[in-house]
Amino acid sequence: ADRLSGGHGRDTFVYTSLRDGSDTITDFVPGTDRIDLSAVVALLRNTHGVTSADLIASGHIRLVDSAAGLQVRVDTDGSAGPAGALLLATLSGVHSSHIVASRDLIQ
């Protein structure tokens, strides 16, 4: 659980494991910064057998608004399964309406 700040310019915050979670990104700018979930997506596909092409629609990746900011969560069995979603990051001051998944998330 770290507080991360990329500073000015384009930043990519890379998540390589579900254990990387509970971070707070203090200065995420939608349309400029990105979150790289490609290693987490590979883990879901290789270890958990996830086959969905759209991991947000299937509930494997969830974008949840909270008082602290936008939470990026990963659910290993999607919205249909009993497992809970694990918190990877909270984007301070960001709302889900600001995020365009194809632009802001690397899957």
Side-chain angles (χ1 to χ4, degrees), residues 28-39:
F28 188 87
V29 178
T32 300
D33 298 329
R34 299 178 86 190
I35 296 180
D36 185 342
L37 300 173
S38 57

Side-chain angles (χ1 to χ4, degrees), residues 8-51:
H8 297 292
R10 294 184 178 274
D11 301 302
T12 301
F13 299 91
V14 179
Y15 286 87
T16 59
S17 166
L18 296 177
R19 294 182 184 200
D20 286 343
S22 299
D23 296 332
T24 298
I25 300 175
T26 62
D27 62 349
F28 188 87
V29 178
T32 300
D33 298 329
R34 299 178 86 190
I35 296 180
D36 185 342
L37 300 173
S38 57
V40 172
V41 168
L43 174 76
L44 290 174
R45 294 194 190 290
N46 297 331
T47 306
H48 298 281
V50 174
T51 59

Side-chain angles (χ1 to χ4, degrees), residues 46-70:
N46 297 331
T47 306
H48 298 281
V50 174
T51 59
S52 174
D54 186 344
L55 297 181
I56 292 176
S58 66
H60 289 92
I61 296 175
R62 297 185 187 180
L63 303 177
V64 180
D65 290 313
S66 75
L70 180 67

